[in-house]
């Protein structure tokens, strides 16, 4: 072995030691538990609060609307499709303001005629031509029980 | 050359054999690191292994999945980045294909191709495929994106350096750089919801039941029932990504 290498060897050993010590402190504990990543980040992702609470949560306070909805063809719809995410509202009914859309554009996102939609799956109407005498769809159809028509 | 080989000394031969055996022994020591070396874990058959099913025949293109995804996961409304979105395909009689996704479908769709020109038309909801051999997680230089043991591709936004390499690597275009956090963001299959026993937001709001998610290891589960009863395809099967997003009624034109 060349003599200059011999003098450098201890230096190299010191560097390796520093590297190992630094590595020990820099790498988070959960890194590499399941693979080449921080396992704790899964728990962090899982801890994010939810915004959509689901029908059951609404049913606790709004049993009439829930029963209405279940009685007709819109029973397949979630409350939050129309009213928006309800987590805030469930936590504090006064504060969380929910949407109540019943316009031709809104109902049209599902019901306007489009050849890409199958009629077996959903009945479609021309949102402009269908009963133009009233402005909004909910002026006739009850959004919760669609075949309950107002007249 | 042949003679040279034969003339090799016995000592040399033994030395080479010992070296080979040593290397083999050394690699066997790295067994705990196979996940690093092969970038993919073998699924554990006793634990959940999530997949998604989408029934194109049932999709009415209302865009509620895309909307709910944004609201549930605080994805900025604008600029238009999506974790989940819907595309409207219209295949014309002359064979050309028109793909549209105005605002990702959030505000609904209108058919822009005249009815007499349409050969067929349908909606394709898209989202992360949560591939079993995901090309995106393999390229991360800092170990910030990975496949969880449940088979969900996640991003560790504390570790992500925003190099965008994984955005390039995803063949399905399912990743974007979050404009506020400056880290990569993507569908987590609503990991925070499924861990609480709820379904992902897009599945929750789908009005026609076109979306199904479930455990592929649960042979009696909803997803396996869906796969049994329908002829399902994945996107870009030629890339061998091990996609776990199964489409019923997928046309060959869809990319």
């Amino acid at each position: 072995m060349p003599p200059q290498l011999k003098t450098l060897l201890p230096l190299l050993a010191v560097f390796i030691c520093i590297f190992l010590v630094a590595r020990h402190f820099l790498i988070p504990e959960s890194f590499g538990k399941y693979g080449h990543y921080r396992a704790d980040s899964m728990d962090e992702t899982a801890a994010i609060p939810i915004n959509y609470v689901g029908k059951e949560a609404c049913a606790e306070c709004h049993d009439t609307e829930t029963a209405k909805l279940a009685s007709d063809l819109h029973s397949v719809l979630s409350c939050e499709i129309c009213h928006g995410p309800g987590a805030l509202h469930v936590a504090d009914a006064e504060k969380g303001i929910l949407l109540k859309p019943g316009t031709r554009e809104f109902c049209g996102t599902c019901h306007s005629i489009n050849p890409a939609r199958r009629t077996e799956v959903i009945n479609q109407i021309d949102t402009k031509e269908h009963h133009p005498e009233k402005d909004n769809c909910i002026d006739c159809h009850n959004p919760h029980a669609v075949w309950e028509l107002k007249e | 050359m042949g003679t040279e080989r034969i003339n090799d000394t016995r000592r040399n031969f033994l030395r080479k054999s010992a070296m080979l055996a040593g290397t083999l022994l050394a690699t066997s020591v790295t067994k705990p690191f196979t996940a690093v070396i092969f970038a993919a874990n073998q699924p554990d058959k006793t634990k959940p292994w999530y997949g998604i099913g989408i029934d194109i025949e049932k999709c009415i293109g209302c865009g509620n999945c895309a909307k709910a995804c944004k609201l549930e996961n605080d994805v900025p409304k604008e600029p238009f980045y999506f974790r989940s979105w819907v595309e409207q395909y219209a295949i014309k009689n002359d064979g050309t294909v028109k793909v549209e996704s105005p605002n990702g479908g959030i505000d609904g769709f209108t058919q822009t191709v005249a009815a007499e020109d349409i050969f067929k038309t349908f909606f394709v909801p898209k989202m992360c495929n949560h591939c079993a051999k995901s090309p995106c997680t393999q390229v991360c230089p800092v170990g910030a994106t990975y496949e969880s043991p449940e088979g969900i591709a996640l991003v560790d936004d504390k570790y992500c350096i925003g190099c965008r390499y994984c955005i390039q690597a995803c063949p399905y275009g399912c990743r974007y750089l979050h404009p506020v956090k400056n880290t990569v963001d993507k569908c987590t299959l609503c990991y925070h919801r499924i861990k609480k026993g709820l379904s992902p937001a897009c599945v929750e709001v789908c009005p026609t039941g076109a979306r199904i998610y479930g455990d592929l290891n649960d042979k009696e589960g909803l997803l396996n029932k869906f796969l049994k009863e329908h002829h399902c395809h994945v996107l870009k099967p030629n890339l061998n990504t091990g996609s776990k997003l199964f489409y019923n009624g997928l046309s060959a034109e869809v990319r």
Side-chain angles (χ1 to χ4, degrees):
Chain A
M1 192 187 283
Q4 59 267 53
L5 267 194
K6 243 178 219 156
T7 51
L8 281 177
L9 265 185
L11 205 62
L12 184 67
V14 169
F15 272 129
I16 289 175
C17 282
I18 291 176
F19 173 77
L20 286 178
V21 170
R23 188 179 179 278
H24 175 78
F25 285 106
L26 285 177
I27 290 183
E29 207 161 297
S30 67
F31 201 95
K33 192 170 164 198
Y34 301 115
H36 190 67
Y37 59 91
R38 212 162 51 92
D40 282 354
S41 81
M42 284 196 287
D43 299 334
E44 282 162 24
T45 312
I48 297 173
I50 59 166
N51 288 330
Y52 279 80
V53 291
K55 236 181 223 177
E56 293 75 30
C58 311
E60 269 175 38
C61 301
H62 299 291
D63 44 357
T64 39
E65 277 84 7
T66 313
K68 253 272 157 70
L69 194 74
S71 70
D72 211 334
L73 282 166
H74 269 184
S75 60
V76 286
L77 268 59
S78 149
C79 312
E80 288 160 313
I81 285 183
C82 301
H83 293 300
L88 266 182
H89 175 75
V90 169
D92 185 349
E94 309 286 285
K95 263 203 210 130
I97 296 161
L98 291 172
L99 311 165
K100 290 195 290 181
T103 58
R104 286 184 176 260
E105 288 77 46
F106 175 73
C107 302
T109 56
C110 291
H111 285 291
S112 66
I113 292 181
N114 187 334
R117 287 185 185 122
R118 299 183 158 219
T119 356
E120 305 95 89
V121 180
I122 189 157
N123 254 328
Q124 296 147 44
I125 43 97
D126 188 327
T127 47
K128 293 215 173 61
E129 301 293 310
H130 176 80
H131 293 279
E133 60 270 24
K134 293 267 176 65
D135 281 347
N136 291 323
C137 307
I138 55 164
D139 292 339
C140 294
H141 296 276
N142 182 332
H144 301 137
V146 279
W147 281 121
E148 191 177 277
L149 295 168
K150 285 179 210 163
E151 215 62 66
Chain B
M1 191 195 141
T3 41
E4 250 174 61
R5 264 247 203 92
I6 293 162
N7 283 344
D8 218 358
T9 58
R10 177 177 296 178
R11 176 186 292 262
N12 254 345
F13 171 73
L14 286 177
R15 188 181 282 156
K16 276 182 189 156
S17 308
M19 248 151 72
L20 197 69
T23 321
L24 281 180
L25 205 72
T27 33
S28 72
V29 175
T30 62
K31 179 96 190 5
F33 306 106
T34 44
V36 186
I37 294 167
F38 302 112
N41 273 319
Q42 282 302 310
D44 179 349
K45 287 272 177 233
T46 59
K47 294 216 181 92
W49 178 246
Y50 290 108
I52 313 111
I54 293 182
D55 195 341
I56 287 177
E57 286 166 13
K58 279 189 185 167
C59 179
I60 58 170
C62 63
N64 273 302
C65 44
K67 191 161 133 198
C69 177
K70 282 215 167 193
L71 292 169
E72 177 68 34
N73 296 300
D74 299 319
V75 178
K77 178 151 189 341
E78 278 175 58
F80 288 106
Y81 291 121
F82 297 95
R83 287 182 176 196
S84 162
W85 69 100
V86 186
E87 290 170 2
Q88 177 176 269
Y89 274 72
I91 295 149
K92 296 186 201 164
N93 284 325
D94 62 9
T96 52
V97 182
K98 183 168 184 185
V99 190
E100 284 176 285
S101 188
N103 298 353
I106 286 190
D107 305 318
F109 289 91
T110 45
Q111 189 58 258
T112 52
V113 181
E116 62 270 19
D117 290 339
I118 295 175
F119 176 64
K120 67 173 168 179
T121 171
F122 47 86
F123 297 105
V124 184
K126 291 206 172 161
M127 62 187 281
C128 173
N129 290 238
H130 294 289
C131 308
K133 292 174 261 178
S134 44
C136 57
T137 60
Q138 296 174 22
V139 300
C140 184
V142 295
T145 182
Y146 53 91
E147 264 170 63
S148 82
E150 300 99 335
I152 302 172
L154 294 174
V155 176
D156 178 353
D157 60 2
K158 288 206 181 117
Y159 252 51
C160 177
I161 54 171
C163 72
R164 302 170 174 83
Y165 199 10
C166 55
I167 302 180
Q168 292 281 313
C170 175
Y172 305 105
C174 295
R175 289 169 171 256
Y176 69 95
L177 197 79
H178 196 289
V180 182
K181 291 193 284 184
N182 264 318
T183 55
V184 169
D185 196 51
K186 70 176 289 298
C187 164
T188 61
L189 198 60
C190 282
Y191 195 73
H192 58 302
R193 292 177 65 86
I194 61 178
K195 277 278 151 171
K196 296 181 181 88
L198 302 162
S199 53
C202 56
V203 178
E204 172 88 29
V205 299
C206 182
T208 57
R211 287 172 168 265
I212 291 147
Y213 97 104
D215 178 4
L216 285 166
N217 281 342
D218 178 6
K219 290 292 165 226
E220 308 296 313
L222 272 181
L223 185 59
N224 274 312
K225 187 167 173 287
F226 176 77
L227 293 177
K228 231 180 261 177
E229 289 170 359
H230 300 91
H231 301 289
C232 293
H233 288 285
V234 296
L235 290 173
K236 302 187 183 171
N238 52 320
L239 296 181
N240 191 26
T241 54
S243 162
K244 293 195 264 102
L245 172 51
F246 303 96
Y247 285 99
N248 174 41
L250 192 71
S251 286
E253 290 86 355
V254 181
R255 276 158 288 137

